[in-house]
């Protein structure tokens, strides 16, 4: 891997590089849940919309597993970022 | 997979990993950890990451005081190169009723007698610690600067790495399906990848510890209870301490990363393995936290999740053997504060299992206390 590839940012929210992801995969973290927890990729404001498919491809390439077999991390609500203030009073109206 | 072991630890959370490390350190022979998913995939990786020494029973004060001491230099102690993100930014516990004031002042006497430097703050003094908090209804608060947080994934990884360095074998994606026993003695554990012969088990299965107990016919009074939690977008550091209100039943802390993490206890939560998130929690949480910390209304929530508390009837863990089955040890029932006491818990468990003198008296953690009616109820919990 050349230096450029290494420094490519995979997760823009949390500044995780391709080099970092490849190191983790090489260390045996072959699962998106584990990688997410160890380096925070996918935990930022976009919640993995950009980086998750890219990391899944990296795992597939490194392990030889078909892409469809790489389990996606649990999808967590809320669907998009939501202001606390928007949640106030909701229950009373219900 | 290995065919036999001196001790099998069931559960790769922070408690299982800390126990395995301490067992190996004390020369327990071959120690194996079996984890059904990956390390810290249970409550440990879902927790609020808080640690505090402000407790209402002597036991909890001692367990947490000793653990915080160990966490403060954990990587050196374990000889591993892992940053556990240890931060002491304090816990502020505001009081809203006269009876809370009374209880908190009693706690301070206890804590100060145990060399825990918590102190009373007037409402105005609270603003020195959290300038933007609302003083509505606040009669005062206790504050302890030694409280704080560290990263549960990293603490687990640190213990697991140190344990492996001492020869412990850790198998992830390996669920214990059954335990073979005969005449009150353990013979082996059964997994999908094979059996391991052993006569000693440490049950560190968190919310699933009752199920593991049932595999040897032991009925533990531990039940799982869902607790929800959320995180906001990261912002500039503004909130130093954890704010924990037993009146609102909530806690809220800004992590070193800048995001705010908060959760609350729900009084009517049923016994369940359900760890789904609910919109009711999202709304309740926003409502209550904004009451105490109004500027948080402007923050974006980006993710919510849930985990299990392994509840015991007095919210104090069970640590030790159960008479019905020889060498079947349990370390569970942490009721929402098992992460912060995991360093000393692992040490005590190793001492108990190996029959060594324990660092503290441990009879109050005996599983038989519930039948005898000797409960050690902790008042300070969310
Ligand atoms: C929302 C929330 C917030 C919390 N906040 C805090 C906090 O701020 N501070 C604090 O100190 N504590 C907190 N806690 C409590 C803390 O998370 C737990 O007490 C602690 O993590 C318990 O660790 P453990 O290792 O005993 O359990 P776990 O981490 O649950 O580990 C048990 C492991 O056993 C495995 N397992 C179960 N059955 C089997 C089987 N049959 N075979 C193999 N493996 C099995 C599970 O997969 C799991 O990984 C919180 C908990 C929750 C849910």
């Amino acid at each position: 891997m050349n230096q450029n590839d290494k420094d490519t940012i995979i997760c823009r929210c949390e500044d995780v590089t391709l080099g970092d992801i490849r190191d983790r995969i090489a260390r045996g973290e072959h699962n998106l849940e584990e990688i997410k927890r160890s380096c925070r990729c996918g935990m930022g404001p976009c919640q993995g919309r950009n980086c998750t498919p890219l990391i899944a491809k990296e795992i597939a390439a490194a392990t030889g597993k078909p892409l469809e077999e790489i389990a996606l991390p649990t999808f967590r609500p809320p669907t998009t970022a939501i202001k606390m203030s928007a949640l106030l009073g909701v229950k009373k109206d219900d | 997979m290995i065919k036999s072991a001196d001790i099998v630890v069931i559960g790769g959370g922070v408690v299982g990993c800390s126990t395995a490390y301490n067992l190996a350190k004390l020369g327990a022979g071959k120690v194996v950890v079996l984890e059904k998913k990956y390390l810290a995939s249970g409550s440990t990786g879902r927790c609020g990451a808080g640690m505090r020494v402000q407790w209402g029973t002597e036991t909890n004060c001692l367990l947490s005081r000793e653990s915080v001491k160990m966490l403060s230099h954990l990587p050196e102690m374990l000889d591993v190169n892992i940053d556990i993100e240890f931060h002491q930014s304090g816990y502020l516990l505001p009081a809203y009723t006269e009876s809370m004031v009374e209880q908190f002042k009693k706690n301070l006497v206890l804590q100060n007698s145990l060399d825990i430097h918590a102190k009373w703050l007037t409402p105005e003094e609270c603003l020195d610690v959290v300038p933007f908090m609302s003083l509505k209804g606040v009669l005062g608060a206790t504050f302890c600067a030694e409280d704080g947080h560290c990263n549960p994934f990293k603490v687990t990884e640190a213990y697991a790495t140190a344990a492996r360095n001492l020869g412990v074998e850790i198998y992830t994606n390996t669920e214990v399906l059954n335990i073979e026993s005969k005449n009150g003695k353990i013979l082996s554990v059964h997994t999908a990848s094979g059996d391991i012969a052993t006569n000693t088990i440490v049950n560190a299965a968190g919310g699933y510890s009752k199920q593991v107990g049932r595999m040897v016919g032991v009925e533990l009074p531990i039940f799982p209870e869902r607790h929800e939690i959320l995180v906001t977008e990261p912002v500039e550091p503004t909130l130093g301490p954890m704010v924990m209100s037993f009146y609102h039943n909530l806690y809220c802390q800004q992590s070193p990363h800048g995001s705010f993490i908060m959760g609350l206890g729900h009084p009517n939560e049923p016994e369940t393995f359900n760890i789904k998130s609910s919109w009711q929690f999202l709304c309740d949480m926003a409502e209550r936290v904004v009451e105490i910390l109004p500027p948080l209304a402007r923050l974006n929530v980006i993710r919510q999740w849930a985990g299990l508390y392994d509840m015991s009837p007095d919210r104090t863990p069970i640590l030790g053997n159960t008479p019905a089955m020889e060498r079947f040890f349990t370390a569970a029932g942490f009721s929402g504060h098992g992460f912060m006491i995991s360093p000393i818990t692992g040490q005590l468990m190793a001492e108990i299992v190996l029959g060594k003198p324990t660092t503290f008296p441990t009879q109050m953690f005996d599983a038989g206390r519930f039948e005898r009616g000797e409960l050690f109820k902790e008042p300070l919990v969310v």
Side-chain angles (χ1 to χ4, degrees):
Chain A
M1 186 169 38
N2 67 36
Q3 193 58 40
N4 271 348
D5 277 356
K6 230 180 172 163
D7 295 339
T8 303
I9 300 278
I10 286 272
C11 169
R12 283 182 270 168
C13 301
E14 298 288 342
D15 283 345
V16 183
T17 63
L18 181 58
D20 195 9
I21 295 294
R22 288 192 176 159
D23 284 349
R24 282 171 206 280
I25 296 173
R27 249 186 276 152
E29 295 177 20
H30 289 169
N31 149 346
L32 283 162
E33 295 277 10
E34 256 183 297
I35 296 179
K36 165 179 156 187
R37 284 161 176 79
S38 66
C39 69
R40 308 194 49 86
C41 63
M43 286 192 176
C46 95
Q47 288 294 291
R49 278 182 185 72
N50 296 301
C51 65
T52 301
L54 299 173
I55 301 170
K57 264 194 208 156
E58 287 296 319
I59 298 175
T63 60
K65 266 197 202 164
L67 194 55
E68 322 69 88
E69 278 178 30
I70 312 287
L72 290 177
T74 311
F75 180 73
R76 308 260 186 224
T79 319
T80 65
I82 180 164
K83 279 246 181 322
M84 287 267 191
S85 53
L87 297 163
L88 303 178
V90 172
K91 278 192 94 177
K92 276 180 228 113
D93 303 344
D94 199 57
Chain B
M1 194 164 72
I2 195 167
K3 290 276 173 287
S4 73
D6 293 293
I7 301 173
V8 172
V9 177
I10 304 177
V14 71
V15 171
C17 291
S18 164
T19 302
Y21 161 78
N22 279 284
L23 282 166
K25 193 178 113 189
L26 292 182
K30 194 72 208 169
V31 179
V32 169
V33 178
L34 302 179
E35 163 54 47
K36 74 172 164 190
K37 287 161 102 183
Y38 48 89
L39 297 184
S41 58
S43 306
T44 300
R46 299 165 181 276
C47 86
M51 54 170 206
R52 62 173 154 126
V53 291
Q54 298 187 70
W55 287 96
T57 62
E58 178 169 349
T59 322
N60 275 331
C61 287
L62 290 175
L63 292 175
S64 58
R65 186 192 74 189
E66 289 314 299
S67 294
V68 169
K69 260 188 220 158
M70 289 153 93
L71 288 168
S72 72
H73 63 276
L74 195 74
E76 298 88 79
M77 190 181 99
L78 301 179
D79 195 18
V80 294
N81 185 18
I82 293 166
D83 178 9
I84 63 161
E85 297 165 25
F86 175 87
H87 275 264
Q88 285 176 306
S89 34
Y91 262 51
L92 183 77
L93 313 182
Y96 291 87
T97 64
E98 285 304 335
S99 69
M100 287 177 92
V101 172
E102 201 180 311
Q103 175 72 49
F104 283 16
K105 292 201 164 161
K106 247 195 250 162
N107 297 340
L108 283 178
V109 174
L110 171 73
Q111 291 158 3
N112 293 345
S113 78
L114 298 170
D115 207 25
I116 290 172
H117 308 114
K119 58 181 183 198
W120 181 255
L121 299 184
T122 62
E124 292 66 38
E125 288 167 335
C126 290
L127 294 181
D128 297 338
V129 195
V130 183
F132 57 86
M133 92 180 251
S134 160
L135 290 184
K136 194 173 143 218
V138 175
L139 301 176
T142 63
F143 178 75
C144 182
E146 292 147 40
D147 297 341
H149 49 155
C150 41
N151 183 322
F153 302 109
K154 301 295 177 186
V155 172
T156 307
E157 191 188 334
Y159 272 114
T161 306
R164 285 194 185 103
N165 290 345
L166 294 176
V168 172
E169 289 191 37
I170 301 180
Y171 295 91
T172 54
N173 292 312
T174 307
E175 179 174 359
V176 173
L177 300 170
N178 220 331
I179 300 170
E180 189 93 38
S181 63
K182 202 175 171 191
N183 302 330
K185 287 190 168 68
I186 294 160
L187 300 175
S188 64
V189 296
H190 173 61
T191 78
S193 7
D195 292 354
I196 302 177
T198 189
N199 68 0
T200 306
I201 286 176
V202 178
N203 172 10
Y208 293 86
S209 49
K210 177 150 70 183
Q211 275 55 38
V212 170
R214 284 179 179 164
M215 294 179 188
V216 291
V218 167
E219 194 65 23
L220 295 165
I222 295 174
F223 61 93
E225 185 179 278
R226 177 183 66 166
H227 279 251
E228 297 189 68
I229 181 164
L230 66 77
V231 65
T232 69
E233 62 194 324
V235 289
E236 289 296 304
T238 44
L239 178 65
M242 172 82 97
V243 176
M244 188 166 222
S245 164
F246 301 111
Y247 183 77
H248 301 85
N249 223 354
L250 69 76
Y251 57 88
C252 173
Q253 186 165 46
Q254 188 175 21
S255 72
H257 164 263
S259 50
F260 282 75
I261 299 177
M262 59 192 84
L264 55 79
H266 210 276
N268 302 319
E269 193 64 43
E271 172 173 346
T272 166
F273 290 111
N274 170 23
I275 50 166
K276 290 220 162 66
S277 298
S278 72
W279 64 267
Q280 289 89 341
F281 160 75
L282 200 57
C283 297
D284 275 347
M285 188 75 239
E287 203 83 53
R288 287 194 235 175
V289 80
V290 166
E291 209 179 306
I292 309 179
L293 303 168
L296 266 52
R298 296 198 293 273
L299 287 183
N300 275 309
V301 177
I302 59 170
R303 184 170 66 255
Q304 60 177 124
W305 68 95
L308 298 174
Y309 275 20
D310 44 332
M311 302 297 290
S312 74
D314 58 2
R315 303 184 134 198
T316 301
I318 293 172
L319 306 178
N321 184 222
T322 324
M325 181 60 59
E326 228 176 274
R327 304 199 61 72
F328 180 79
F329 298 90
T330 294
F334 293 100
S335 310
H337 50 275
F339 168 59
M340 66 181 87
I341 60 170
S342 57
I344 192 74
T345 299
Q347 186 175 319
L348 290 172
M349 280 313 292
E351 291 163 351
I352 293 171
V353 171
L354 299 176
K356 304 225 185 251
T358 50
T359 311
F360 299 133
T362 51
Q363 61 272 21
M364 68 282 265
F365 303 120
D366 170 39
R369 69 181 183 270
F370 306 106
E371 277 160 30
R372 296 193 304 271
E374 297 166 11
L375 271 62
F376 292 82
K377 202 164 176 89
E378 171 56 57
L380 287 190
V381 278
V382 165

